[in-house]
Amino acid sequence: MPDFTPPKFAINKGNITMSSTELLTNLGAGLGIVPLLSIIETMAIGKAFARINNYKLDPTQELIAIGSANILSSFVSSYPITGSFSRTAVNSQCGVRTPLGGIWTGGLVILALCVLTPWFYYIPKSALAAVIIAAVIQMVEYHVVIQLWKANKLDLIPFFITFVCSLIVGIEYGILIGIGFSILMLLYPTARPRITVRAGVQFFPFMSLN
């Protein structure tokens, strides 16, 4: 288990010491993309399960929770913390209804890392994949496609783009691409508005076109 220490702002790589400035430079665009994807994925998961289980999602509370978790996790050299569709789906299928499920899951992870790792090595990946697939398959909402087709057929374009990109480049980038394409679809009509000029219409009471 890692020690609980303040995060390091410089690391030693062989005989080379990398300062915080060099570390940030190496991260590049990932410095902004990783937090953005983390927020997007967490909100998408929260809204999906809020719709399924009929409860209201508080985005502010979610942001505070994920921010606090990432700050505390930096003291144990953790990976960036975000939501997970697969793990959340498994929890939902297991009947988890309160945040206590996260504490229970965390305890099992710590137990597995400390004691059960040699036994977990022999679990086939196909068995783990089957558990995730069985949990996630319940989240597929086929009726949404029919609703979008009836409401606005153009909404199916970002829907399928997000779906295909999620399969190809991953769900995080797929969601990001879908959001970007949706923004473009919203901005295009605004950038090219339809203007109709009618002759003989007075725009102001004191003006006349004659």
Side-chain angles (χ1 to χ4, degrees):
M1 297 295 293
D3 297 328
F4 191 83
T5 58
K8 298 179 180 179
F9 295 96
I11 60 174
N12 296 323
K13 190 176 182 180
N15 296 327
I16 301 175
T17 300
M18 299 183 66
S19 63
S20 58
T21 304
E22 293 174 332
L23 291 174
L24 295 177
T25 303
N26 290 334
L27 288 174
L31 191 63
I33 293 176
V34 171
L36 180 61
L37 291 178
S38 174
I39 294 172
I40 291 174
E41 186 175 15
T42 301
M43 291 302 172
I45 295 170
K47 288 184 177 181
F49 282 92
R51 184 173 62 254
I52 293 173
N53 298 314
N54 297 320
Y55 63 85
K56 186 177 180 181
L57 179 71
D58 186 357
T60 303
Q61 183 179 358
E62 297 295 324
L63 290 176
I64 293 174
I66 195 172
S68 302
N70 276 285
I71 291 174
L72 291 176
S73 67
S74 66
F75 288 85
V76 291
S77 303
S78 170
Y79 282 104
I81 296 177
T82 180
S84 171
F85 267 113
S86 56
R87 289 191 294 271
T88 306
V90 171
N91 281 341
S92 179
Q93 292 298 314
C94 292
V96 175
R97 293 293 180 269
T98 66
L100 184 61
I103 299 176
W104 177 258
T105 303
L108 289 178
V109 171
I110 294 175
L111 178 64
L113 291 175
C114 296
V115 180
L116 303 177
T117 304
W119 287 274
F120 283 178
Y121 176 80
Y122 298 100
I123 298 178
K125 291 184 178 180
S126 57
L128 300 176
V131 173
I132 295 175
I133 292 173
V136 175
I137 196 66
Q138 303 296 329
M139 296 179 57
V140 180
E141 300 177 350
Y142 302 99
H143 64 277
V144 173
V145 179
I146 300 175
Q147 293 176 355
L148 290 176
W149 178 265
K150 293 180 179 179
N152 188 358
K153 296 179 178 61
L154 289 178
D155 288 339
L156 289 174
I157 297 176
F159 177 85
F160 283 112
I161 287 178
T162 304
F163 178 75
V164 173
C165 291
S166 297
L167 294 178
I168 297 175
V169 298
I171 188 170
E172 295 88 356
Y173 290 101
I175 293 175
L176 192 61
I177 293 172
I179 291 175
F181 195 84
S182 298
I183 293 175
L184 291 178
M185 289 185 62
L186 290 174
L187 293 179
Y188 183 80
T190 305
R192 298 177 178 273
R194 294 182 179 180
I195 300 176
T196 302
V197 179
R198 296 182 179 180
V201 177
Q202 293 185 357
F203 294 94
F204 299 97
F206 54 86
M207 295 179 62
S208 176
L209 296 178
N210 297 328

